[in-house]
């Protein structure tokens, strides 16, 4: 072959390689891919209608609470771990004695009408919380009535407490204390607030503003300055339904994107719907069997050994796996496992019916007449177990009474309404044992529920637990500003609680909600309250558009820069 022919072949090969490279580059550059596009409205079904989109009055209605959390802000807020982060306040300080708290507002904090949020708005809100004419939650009213709020200037305000209380900053978070604009609400006397039209036409300072509302729906649009980057979706809309099952039906028909809550009894139905994605998170709180340690009808509950045996006699794993799947996760302490104050080394009561029987035998409780129920000094080992009448509460009650029957304890299941459980039995202390649900958002302070000072009729220590060692730990933690010192007190409290068993811890509740698979990039973190399901709203999208690889890389770089 001549040299000329060889060069022609080489040139042809090089030309071919060049064409292949150019085609590859064009394919890389111009092949289109779908990326999130702006636009669209996320529609969620909620059970009930709003009445008070007003943080001073919204605590009694879940729809109101969700809306208040989106429309209003507190001085602080809880992050995904339950720790405090800046809200309207950019910083806060605590006096060494934990009785004076100083907050500094963000200079850019503004109401939805454009006016600045000032410390006068904060003081005005405190005065509303203190007013006896308003239906503020009793515990919150008592707390705020012990506070003197003093603005130093437009941005700095101090709160002087009547006594040291280290957990106080938690109560300035939006869950408990949403600031309202004085220039709108000062025209009303406190007794007129409940009837004010502003309750459904709110002006807040939060990440969303209400733009439409009627008996069927409410539309909320993002306040762009409150987001790190503009949300993809144009708006969030709540559609009102009479109950949760109706929402699930509407989701199946494609009428809503989201189901605000999937009840435990609906879980299997929701899981079978192919176009629905489910999200589950633990909520701060716990369900327990509360003992009345001063019960006339069941005096044996005053015996620690009997209480420990009853704890060993409940199969909590089976309960949560088979009887009430999706309702909760096992609880061993009144303080949440995710909390900085949690003690992982406390005694636990895994199901051990043989140990339970042996402990009861040792305590003198024996089945002398072989009727399946233990006796001592002629008294049968029996009690009434109260619960509310929610479907999953009935199942819990039935499962526990069956478990106790296997160790020779006769428990009679007695369901009542939730209101009746509280007003007719817990408050007047007319019970022996009751299945109770407690909500514990924010600071892990157990004092309101377990201090002996709360045994009085006005307090919430309904079981009458009186343990001096535990009292000291709780009292010291309340007046100690240093977190590590507080943690040590709470570690002690949990150990004492676990050993003494004033109640049997059952589970921490789980919250399940659902959304259409057409909604992309939804994420689930730990919820401090149900409204936290919208924490990542800015990232959700339902629409897409096509871009080239080069454009996509530019978009990704821009997102990283932001």
């Amino acid at each position: 072959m001549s040299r000329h022919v060889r060069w022609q072949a080489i040139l042809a090969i090089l030309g071919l390689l060049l064409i292949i490279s150019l085609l590859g580059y064009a394919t890389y550059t111009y092949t289109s891919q779908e990326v999130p596009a702006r636009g669209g409205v996320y529609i969620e079904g909620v059970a009930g209608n709003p009445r008070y989109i007003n943080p001073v009055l919204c605590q009694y209605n879940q729809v109101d609470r969700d809306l208040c959390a989106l429309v209003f802000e507190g001085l602080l807020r809880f992050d995904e771990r339950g720790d405090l982060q800046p809200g309207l306040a950019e910083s806060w300080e605590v006096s060494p004695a934990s009785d004076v708290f100083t907050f500094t507002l963000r200079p850019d904090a503004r109401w939805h009408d454009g006016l600045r949020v000032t410390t006068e708005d904060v003081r005005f809100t405190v005065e509303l919380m203190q007013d006896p004419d308003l239906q503020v939650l009793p515990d919150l009213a008592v707390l705020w009535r012990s506070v003197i709020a003093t603005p130093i200037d437009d941005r700095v305000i101090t709160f002087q407490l009547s006594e040291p209380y280290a957990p106080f900053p938690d109560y300035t978070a939006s869950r408990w204390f949403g600031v309202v604009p004085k220039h709108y609400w000062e025209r009303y006397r406190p007794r007129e607030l409940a009837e004010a039209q502003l309750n459904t036409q709110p002006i807040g300072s939060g990440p969303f503003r209400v733009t439409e509302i009627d008996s069927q729906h409410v539309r909320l649009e993002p306040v762009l300055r409150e987001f790190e980057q503009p949300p993809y979706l144009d708006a969030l809309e709540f559609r009102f339904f009479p109950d949760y099952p109706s929402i699930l039906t509407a989701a199946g028909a494609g009428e809503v994107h989201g189901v605000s809550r999937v009840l435990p009894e609906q879980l299997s139905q929701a899981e079978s719907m192919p176009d629905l994605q489910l999200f589950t998170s633990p909520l701060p709180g716990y369900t327990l069997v509360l003992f009345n340690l001063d019960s006339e009808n069941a005096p044996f509950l005053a015996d620690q050994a009997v209480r420990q045996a009853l704890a060993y006699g409940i199969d909590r794993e089976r309960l949560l796996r088979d009887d009430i799947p999706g309702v909760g996760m096992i609880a061993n302490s009144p303080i949440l496992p995710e909390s900085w104050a949690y003690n992982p080394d406390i005694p636990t009561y895994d199901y051990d019916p043989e140990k339970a029987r042996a402990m009861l035998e040792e305590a003198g409780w024996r089945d002398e007449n072989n009727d399946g129920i233990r006796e001592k000094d002629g008294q049968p080992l029996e009690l009434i177990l109260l619960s509310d009448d929610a479907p999953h509460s009935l199942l819990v009650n039935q499962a526990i009474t069956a478990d106790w029957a296997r160790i020779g304890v006769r428990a009679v299941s007695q369901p009542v309404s939730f209101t009746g459980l509280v007003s007719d039995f817990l408050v007047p202390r007319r019970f022996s044992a009751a299945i109770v649900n407690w909500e514990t958002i924010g600071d892990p302070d157990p004092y309101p529920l377990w201090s002996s000072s709360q045994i009085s009729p006005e307090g919430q220590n309904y079981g009458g637990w009186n343990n001096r060692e535990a009292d000291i730990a709780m009292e010291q933690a309340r007046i100690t500003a240093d977190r590590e010192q507080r943690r040590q007190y709470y570690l002690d409290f949990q150990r004492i609680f676990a050993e003494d068993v004033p109640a049997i811890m059952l589970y921490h509740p789980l919250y399940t909600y659902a959304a259409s698979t057409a909604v992309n990039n939804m994420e689930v973190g730990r919820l401090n309250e149900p409204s936290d399901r919208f924490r990542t709203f800015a990232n959700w999208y339902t629409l897409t558009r096509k871009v080239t690889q080069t454009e996509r890389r530019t978009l990704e770089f821009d997102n990283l820069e932001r």
Side-chain angles (χ1 to χ4, degrees):
M1 183 184 299
S2 68
R3 181 181 302 177
H4 178 69
V5 173
R6 286 199 303 271
W7 274 109
Q8 283 184 328
I10 292 170
L11 289 172
I13 292 170
L14 290 173
L16 182 61
L17 291 173
L18 178 61
I19 291 171
I20 291 171
S21 299
L22 290 172
L23 288 173
Y25 177 78
T27 300
Y28 175 80
T29 305
Y30 297 107
T31 298
S32 61
Q33 292 190 3
E34 289 191 345
V35 298
R38 303 200 181 279
V41 177
Y42 178 78
I43 302 172
E44 180 176 276
V46 298
N49 291 76
R51 186 177 180 187
Y52 302 119
I53 313 176
N54 176 340
V56 177
L57 302 172
C58 72
Q59 304 298 333
Y60 296 94
N61 178 329
Q62 186 58 57
V63 178
D64 287 346
R65 285 165 61 172
D66 284 351
L67 289 169
C68 281
L70 297 170
V71 175
F72 292 89
E73 281 186 287
L75 294 177
L76 305 177
R77 62 179 179 83
F78 294 115
D79 65 15
E80 211 169 304
R81 298 185 302 274
D83 292 331
L84 289 172
Q85 300 295 337
L88 287 173
E90 65 179 7
S91 63
W92 65 102
E93 298 176 0
V94 185
S95 69
S98 297
D99 61 348
V100 179
F101 298 81
T102 303
F103 291 81
T104 302
L105 301 185
R106 297 188 341 246
D108 63 340
R110 294 189 176 275
W111 298 109
H112 294 160
D113 62 6
L115 295 181
R116 284 182 54 217
V117 179
T118 72
T119 53
E120 283 300 323
D121 297 305
V122 179
R123 175 166 65 178
F124 177 76
T125 304
V126 171
E127 291 171 350
L128 289 179
M129 298 289 285
Q130 295 171 335
D131 197 285
D133 288 333
L134 291 181
Q135 295 180 348
V136 178
L137 284 176
D139 292 347
L140 289 180
V142 170
L143 171 67
W144 284 105
R145 285 169 191 161
S146 69
V147 175
I148 299 173
T150 306
I152 305 303
D153 56 36
D154 282 354
R155 291 182 53 208
V156 179
I157 186 169
T158 64
F159 297 103
Q160 172 72 58
L161 277 58
S162 59
E163 59 185 27
Y165 186 44
F168 175 75
D170 284 58
Y171 291 90
T172 68
S174 54
R175 170 63 180 86
W176 306 114
F177 182 78
V179 179
V180 297
K182 178 181 178 181
H183 58 288
Y184 283 98
W185 286 101
E186 65 182 345
R187 71 190 72 168
Y188 299 99
R189 289 177 294 183
R191 67 173 65 95
E192 299 171 339
L193 256 65
E195 306 302 323
Q197 193 172 8
L198 272 175
N199 287 316
T200 52
Q201 297 178 352
I203 301 296
S205 60
F208 290 86
R209 61 163 57 92
V210 173
T211 58
E212 295 177 14
I213 187 168
D214 58 30
S215 62
Q216 304 298 316
H217 84 297
V218 59
R219 178 185 172 99
L220 302 107
E221 295 183 0
V223 180
L224 297 185
R225 68 171 181 266
E226 297 297 324
F227 290 86
E228 292 182 5
Q229 60 186 56
Y232 291 111
L233 293 165
D234 290 332
L236 164 64
E237 182 177 315
F238 283 1
R239 295 269 178 90
F240 309 134
F241 290 84
D243 50 42
Y244 290 109
S246 301
I247 306 172
L248 199 59
T249 300
E255 297 173 8
V256 297
H257 295 110
V259 180
S260 60
R261 185 171 191 183
V262 178
L263 297 178
E265 55 267 30
Q266 299 175 285
L267 197 56
S268 59
Q269 178 188 353
E271 288 174 338
S272 68
M273 299 171 67
D275 296 330
L276 214 57
Q277 50 185 331
L278 302 185
F279 303 91
T280 298
S281 170
L283 283 177
Y286 50 87
T287 296
L288 47 67
V289 178
L290 180 65
F291 296 129
N292 183 350
L293 305 184
D294 194 29
S295 171
E296 294 181 0
N297 297 321
F300 52 82
L301 291 175
D303 185 344
Q304 180 191 60
V306 171
R307 299 195 300 270
Q308 290 178 340
L310 291 173
Y312 281 119
I314 298 177
D315 190 347
R316 296 179 299 167
E317 286 192 5
R318 188 216 64 241
L319 173 72
L320 296 174
R321 183 187 64 242
D322 300 335
D323 298 314
I324 52 167
V327 170
M329 51 186 285
I330 285 181
N332 293 311
S333 166
I335 294 179
L336 304 177
E338 298 86 1
S339 171
W340 53 267
Y342 180 69
N343 187 345
D345 300 320
I346 56 176
T348 58
Y349 294 87
D350 299 329
Y351 184 50
D352 192 338
E354 289 302 319
K355 186 170 186 175
R357 295 186 189 103
M359 292 182 73
L360 292 174
E361 291 279 342
E362 187 175 346
W365 293 94
R366 299 178 178 85
D367 184 8
E368 302 288 358
N369 57 8
N370 295 316
D371 65 350
I373 303 172
R374 296 175 182 274
E375 303 89 22
K376 181 179 180 181
D377 300 330
Q379 178 193 8
L381 191 55
E382 61 182 13
L383 52 79
I384 293 175
L385 181 60
L386 294 166
S387 70
D388 65 52
D389 55 6
H392 69 276
S393 297
L394 298 178
L395 293 172
V396 173
N397 199 323
Q398 293 164 8
I400 291 174
T401 56
D403 279 347
W404 282 348
R406 296 185 185 97
I407 62 172
V409 179
R410 182 172 184 263
V412 178
S413 174
Q414 183 177 331
V416 296
S417 69
F418 173 77
T419 302
L421 176 63
V422 176
S423 62
D424 297 338
F425 296 97
L426 296 182
V427 172
R429 278 64 170 174
R430 293 177 52 246
F431 72 100
S432 297
I435 298 169
V436 180
N437 310 301
W438 291 127
E439 184 182 77
T440 56
I441 295 176
D443 192 274
D445 177 27
Y447 184 96
L449 302 177
W450 300 110
S451 167
S452 64
S453 68
Q454 304 304 301
I455 295 175
S456 64
E458 296 77 24
Q460 291 180 284
N461 185 350
Y462 302 127
W465 188 42
N466 188 346
N467 185 300
R468 185 57 191 150
E469 191 180 356
D471 281 348
I472 291 172
M474 289 184 281
E475 290 162 5
Q476 290 300 310
R478 281 196 136 200
I479 63 175
T480 302
D482 182 81
R483 174 174 281 196
E484 183 53 34
Q485 291 182 31
R486 293 188 71 208
R487 179 175 175 273
Q488 292 302 318
Y489 288 125
Y490 286 142
L491 295 183
D492 290 342
F493 162 78
Q494 291 166 87
R495 174 187 53 78
I496 299 162
F497 185 98
E499 292 171 351
D500 207 22
V501 198
I504 300 174
M505 302 300 301
L506 295 177
Y507 58 86
H508 299 295
L510 295 175
Y511 187 91
T512 299
Y513 58 104
S516 166
T517 53
V519 184
N520 299 287
N521 211 28
M522 292 186 72
E523 299 175 359
V524 177
R526 176 180 175 271
L527 305 183
N528 294 295
E529 56 180 319
S531 62
D532 285 344
R533 64 189 183 274
F534 300 109
R535 186 185 284 126
T536 60
F537 176 85
N539 300 326
W540 305 357
Y541 65 93
T542 58
L543 305 178
T544 60
R545 62 188 179 93
K546 290 186 176 182
V547 298
T548 65
Q549 285 276 17
T550 301
E551 290 172 322
R552 178 167 183 169
R553 291 180 67 188
T554 302
L555 288 172
E556 290 174 349
F557 179 78
D558 289 343
N559 286 335
L560 286 173
E561 286 290 301
R562 284 189 290 187

